Amino acid sequence: MSEPIISVEHVSKSVTDSTGTLAILRDIDFSLAARETAAIVGASGSGKSTLLSIVAGLDTPTSGTVRLAGQDLFALDEDNRAALRARQVGFVFQSFQLMGNLSALENVMLPLELAGRRDARKAATEMLGRVGLGERLGHYPKVLSGGEQQRVALARAFVVQPAVLLADEPTGSLDFATGETVMQLMFDLNRELGTTLVLVTHDRAIAQRCERKITIEAGRLV
C-alpha cells in the first residue's frame, strides 16, 4: 500500500483560560489516501473546523501530529510549514476569502505568482474558463454573485494543482442550486486533477457523496 497523503496521529487540542481547560479535540486518529474524498461532519462546536485547521498546519495540536505527504507538519517551523502548504494544499472557505482589490484573474494568479510561475496569467485564465468564468476575468469580487465568487475561490485553490484540497463549509453561504453547481465542480476537478478532498460540512447530501465520512462528537472520533 502506498503511504497516506494525510495521516492524523493521536491529535488532541485543548485551550486554557480563567475558567479552566476546555478539550476541543481528543485523540483523533485517521489517514487518507491520495485522491480520496472525505467529509468531516458533526454538530456545531464539535471541533470540525479546528481539526481542518490542524490538518492544514494553520493551528497546532496540544499533542499528536499530522503528516502531509509523509512530512511531519509540526516538526517544521512556521515558514517551512507555510512553504509546504503553498506547494501541497489548496483552500476553499465559506466566506470566499478573495482579495477585494484584485480582479477574478488576479486573485487566481496570486498563488502562482507567489510560487514564481511564469505562466501565471495563462494558467489562471484557463482555470477560470474551466469553472465557467472565462467572460468575467476582469471583474472584481464586489460585482460577482456569491456563486461566482466561490467559483473564483475554487479556481484559485485548484490552479496550483494541490495534492490536498481543504474546504470549510464551501456551500454554507450559497443557495441550494448554486451550492449544487459549486459542489459538482469541486468533485469534477478533484477527479480530474487527482486531488485528495477533505471538506467540513453540515450538509448530509454532500457528506454522502464523499467516500469517507469522519464524524466528530464532542471532540472525539465516532
Side-chain angles (χ1 to χ4, degrees), residues 25 39 41 69 74 76 79 88 99 102 109 113 119 124 140 172 181 184:
L25 296 171
V41 298
F74 301 106
L76 300 172
D79 287 349
Q88 300 278 12
M99 308 284 276
L102 300 180
M109 284 171 64
E113 288 177 327
D119 63 339
Y140 288 84
T181 306
Q184 189 56 54

Side-chain angles (χ1 to χ4, degrees), residues 113-219:
E113 288 177 327
L114 291 173
R117 288 264 300 268
R118 293 192 172 169
D119 63 339
R121 180 172 291 273
K122 179 173 179 285
T125 302
E126 282 172 8
M127 187 54 83
L128 281 163
R130 283 167 74 182
V131 300
L133 292 175
E135 308 293 307
R136 312 284 271 165
L137 304 181
H139 290 66
Y140 288 84
K142 66 173 186 278
V143 298
L144 297 174
S145 69
E148 287 171 332
Q149 288 185 62
Q150 194 58 300
R151 283 189 277 157
V152 174
L154 271 187
R156 181 182 60 187
F158 276 110
V159 77
V160 295
Q161 303 211 344
V164 175
L165 183 84
L166 303 175
D168 195 358
E169 297 284 1
T171 60
S173 36
L174 304 176
D175 64 71
F176 178 76
T178 308
E180 282 286 289
T181 306
V182 165
M183 283 314 304
Q184 189 56 54
L185 197 51
M186 190 181 279
F187 283 112
D188 288 348
L189 287 169
N190 156 258
R191 266 194 307 276
E192 211 174 301
L193 299 175
T195 299
T196 301
L197 176 61
V198 185
L199 53 94
V200 164
T201 184
H202 279 104
D203 188 321
R204 284 183 184 173
I206 291 173
Q208 281 170 344
R209 292 179 66 176
C210 294
E211 294 157 316
R212 287 272 298 281
K213 195 157 81 168
I214 297 163
T215 305
I216 308 281
E217 253 177 46

Side-chain angles (χ1 to χ4, degrees), residues 55-59 68 71-91 111 114-115 160:
V55 168
L58 292 166
D59 195 354
L68 181 60
Q71 175 72 62
D72 180 345
L73 273 183
F74 301 106
L76 300 172
D77 63 23
E78 225 160 291
D79 287 349
N80 283 315
R81 267 208 304 277
L84 181 65
R85 255 199 311 276
R87 289 194 306 275
Q88 300 278 12
V89 183
F91 293 97
L114 291 173
V160 295

